[in-house]
Amino acid sequence: MAGIGFQLKNLIDNKNISSKLLAFGYSAMLSSGSWLISIIFIFIFSKIAITIGGNKKSVYAFNVYITHVIALSLIVSGLLQFEYTRFASDRIFEKKYNLILPNFVGAMFITAVLGFITGGVLGIYFFWSYNKFMIVLFALNVSTTSSVFLSSSLLTGLKSFRYILFSFAFSYFLVGLFILYFNENILMLVYGFYLSQSILLITLSFRVFKDYHSDILIRFDFLKKPNKRILILTGFLYNLAIWIDKYLFWFSETTSHKAIGNMGSSYFYDIPITLAYISLLPGISALFLYTEAEFFEYYDMYYSAVREFGTLKDLYYFANLLVSSIRELVFSVMRIQIIFDIILIISQDNVFIKLLKIPKIYLLEIDIMIIAATVQLLLITLFSICSYFDLMKDLLRISVVFLLTNFIFTYISIKMGPYYYGYGLLFSATISSLYAIYRLRRFLDEIHYYTFVHSGRL
């Protein structure tokens, strides 16, 4: 962390505006590079393929296929993402590096098996009447992509941002080439995606094997601590909560259509929510920048004083600095994102209609989605802060609230009709963020008590 943190801090402390812009650009690539590169490569190569006379229907079906694979893979890998990353972080703190690799292999094995089974079951529903071979490929793709996300989660926790960035860039460049040359054949596109994900998995895994050598091949120590197993449920519910509104639109008779086999998508929802999530790039960059360059410094000061038996005066002083840094972190992220949202909404005719050729009918829903995504960014920020403080029960509570409210409000919005699409996510993210603020503030008000006395974490 230190190398990245010091670089970013030096850049933002520099009064030169070019240094600050460089810091934000650097943060944008490190924090959002992998998923942003994925979207950009697929979007650009899809447009090129269609422009030069490619099969528009096959390209669109392939984009829907990738979305379903990624959604299901995130949910499956979410079972062990938080759990194993936390386990690896604890072992690094204890300098027990030899336990990281065998447990990584164990976590990968479980994730790959669960991904294959889940992908196989859903693949039967999606492709039984379409193409039996697609069932196997879907199971393999979900299994491999789930393992990719687990590997990426570990390397993110270990701050290997640049390596992740270049690995994803190479992998999705291959996906783009397959779109360009095989856009008439959906089966070849799906096979190409599996090939690229396999290469990506090998690349990410190689870094773990290289940095954390061990004489033991496989272990499952990360499952042996009951107090940490709550992270398994949290990771699953949190990722399910993020995707539940999309699944409701994909499977609702009034909002979905079949893109390939029984695999659904939604014209009404997919385009606006995708554009809204892309618009979060400034806020996510700010979250990464201020977390690594500002918040973590005060976080480390306080807990270093705790570990090294600092004076009571020092503890109160560092705690006040820590709370102030959290407040500044949240305000900075939201301030930057809201300013960008206002500019984007004001210039939406030029950006969405003229540049991206989005039909004008989508504009109102895009505006709602942008606001909803911004509120969800607030929730992500609060969730991230709670993760730093190891508030496992609170993370689970927040995930449950987000899942239930997103399901209920999105379902109601679908029943109410097109004018209300997007409000489900907006209301859900708002309620979940307010609840997260309540839980985090309760902890920060009594941070010394929960640090030294209360071991149960709220």
Side-chain angles (χ1 to χ4, degrees):
M1 177 273 153
I4 294 173
F6 287 138
Q7 289 180 51
L8 294 176
K9 187 166 179 58
N10 288 334
L11 287 172
I12 62 175
D13 285 345
N14 194 321
K15 294 184 179 179
N16 191 329
I17 190 171
S18 61
S19 296
K20 295 184 182 296
L21 291 175
L22 181 60
F24 271 95
Y26 190 42
S27 300
M29 291 305 297
L30 293 177
S31 62
S32 311
S34 57
W35 64 265
L36 192 62
I37 280 175
S38 307
I39 293 173
I40 290 174
F41 272 123
I42 292 173
F43 177 79
I44 290 176
F45 280 100
S46 296
K47 284 291 185 184
I48 293 174
I50 293 172
T51 302
I52 63 177
N55 190 318
K56 186 176 181 180
K57 184 177 180 180
S58 294
V59 172
Y60 175 75
F62 180 56
N63 282 302
V64 172
Y65 179 91
I66 291 177
T67 304
H68 274 269
V69 169
I70 290 175
L72 189 57
S73 299
L74 281 169
I75 295 170
V76 171
S77 63
L79 283 164
L80 294 181
Q81 273 188 29
F82 293 170
E83 169 76 4
Y84 177 72
T85 302
R86 171 58 194 271
F87 171 86
S89 300
D90 288 346
R91 300 297 78 75
I92 290 175
F93 182 79
E94 297 170 356
K95 302 188 185 303
K96 296 180 180 179
Y97 305 112
N98 63 310
L99 294 177
I100 293 177
L101 180 58
N103 280 279
F104 171 72
V105 175
M108 287 272 285
F109 175 77
I110 294 174
T111 300
V113 170
L114 289 176
F116 187 84
I117 294 172
T118 307
V121 171
L122 274 180
I124 292 172
Y125 169 75
F126 288 143
F127 305 115
W128 183 260
S129 59
Y130 180 79
N131 187 319
K132 302 296 190 298
F133 189 59
M134 289 284 284
I135 299 173
V136 179
L137 279 176
F138 187 72
L140 289 172
N141 268 315
V142 173
S143 176
T144 305
T145 307
S146 297
S147 301
V148 164
F149 285 132
L150 181 67
S151 306
S152 176
S153 176
L154 172 63
L155 293 176
T156 299
L158 301 178
K159 312 296 181 181
S160 299
F161 300 109
R162 295 187 191 90
Y163 191 84
I164 296 172
L165 179 63
F166 288 116
S167 299
F168 269 81
F170 178 73
S171 171
Y172 279 88
F173 178 75
L174 291 180
V175 175
L177 292 179
F178 269 86
I179 293 174
L180 203 58
Y181 290 103
F182 299 102
N183 56 76
E184 299 287 341
N185 189 335
I186 186 66
L187 197 61
M188 282 300 297
L189 289 175
V190 169
Y191 177 76
F193 183 72
Y194 172 63
L195 178 64
S196 71
Q197 292 302 99
S198 298
I199 293 173
L200 178 56
L201 176 60
I202 293 171
T203 306
L204 295 175
S205 300
F206 171 78
R207 180 60 181 267
V208 181
F209 275 81
K210 177 177 177 292
D211 291 351
Y212 299 98
H213 176 73
S214 176
D215 295 329
I216 305 171
L217 178 61
I218 186 169
R219 295 186 65 160
F220 299 93
D221 299 322
F222 60 93
L223 296 175
K224 294 179 180 178
K225 293 188 176 181
N227 63 318
K228 297 296 189 297
R229 289 178 189 169
I230 191 173
L231 290 175
I232 296 177
L233 187 58
T234 300
F236 172 74
L237 293 178
Y238 180 69
N239 282 282
L240 182 60
I242 290 174
W243 286 97
I244 192 65
D245 55 315
K246 291 79 174 172
Y247 274 111
L248 286 173
F249 274 90
W250 292 340
F251 286 96
S252 172
E253 292 183 359
T254 57
T255 60
S256 69
H257 70 280
K258 307 301 182 185
I260 172 174
N262 284 324
M263 183 174 282
S265 66
S266 175
Y267 287 130
F268 303 102
Y269 201 73
D270 292 351
I271 294 175
I273 193 63
T274 300
L275 293 173
Y277 280 154
I278 293 174
S279 74
L280 292 181
L281 180 59
I284 292 176
S285 303
L287 173 59
F288 181 89
L289 175 63
Y290 287 105
T291 298
E292 297 294 345
E294 298 286 348
F295 163 72
F296 185 81
E297 179 182 358
Y298 297 112
Y299 173 91
D300 191 51
M301 284 181 181
Y302 176 75
Y303 284 102
S304 292
V306 171
R307 292 192 302 269
E308 297 167 8
F309 304 101
T311 65
L312 184 61
K313 181 180 179 180
D314 288 339
L315 289 173
Y316 275 99
Y317 175 71
F318 290 137
N320 289 334
L321 289 177
L322 177 58
V323 173
S324 297
S325 72
I326 292 172
R327 187 183 299 110
E328 182 60 28
L329 168 64
V330 174
F331 286 157
S332 296
V333 170
M334 298 310 296
R335 182 166 56 243
I336 290 169
Q337 185 60 45
I338 289 172
I339 291 172
F340 182 79
D341 289 347
I342 293 172
I343 295 172
L344 190 60
I345 291 173
I346 291 174
S347 58
Q348 60 183 359
D349 287 346
N350 293 323
V351 175
F352 297 127
I353 297 178
K354 295 180 181 179
L355 180 62
L356 298 179
K357 309 298 182 183
I358 303 296
K360 196 170 184 178
I361 193 174
Y362 282 110
L363 289 185
L364 178 59
E365 189 174 353
I366 289 174
D367 291 344
I368 296 169
M369 291 294 191
I370 288 174
I371 298 171
T374 299
V375 180
Q376 188 175 344
L377 176 62
L378 173 60
L379 177 62
I380 293 170
T381 303
L382 297 167
F383 197 91
S384 175
I385 295 170
C386 289
S387 299
Y388 263 92
F389 291 110
D390 196 24
L391 305 180
M392 291 184 287
K393 291 181 181 178
D394 284 334
L395 292 172
L396 178 59
R397 293 183 183 115
I398 294 168
S399 299
V400 171
V401 170
F402 188 30
L403 174 61
L404 293 178
T405 55
N406 201 10
F407 178 86
I408 293 170
F409 287 122
T410 298
Y411 180 80
I412 293 173
S413 70
I414 291 174
K415 292 299 181 182
M416 293 180 69
Y419 287 106
Y420 299 93
Y421 295 165
Y423 283 101
L425 178 61
L426 175 59
F427 291 156
S428 172
T430 301
I431 292 173
S432 302
S433 296
L434 291 173
Y435 181 72
I437 290 172
Y438 163 72
R439 301 303 307 184
L440 179 60
R441 184 166 183 173
R442 183 183 173 193
F443 167 77
L444 293 175
D445 285 344
E446 301 291 343
I447 186 172
H448 304 299
Y449 169 72
Y450 291 114
T451 299
F452 290 99
V453 180
H454 197 290
S455 60
R457 294 295 197 203
L458 297 170

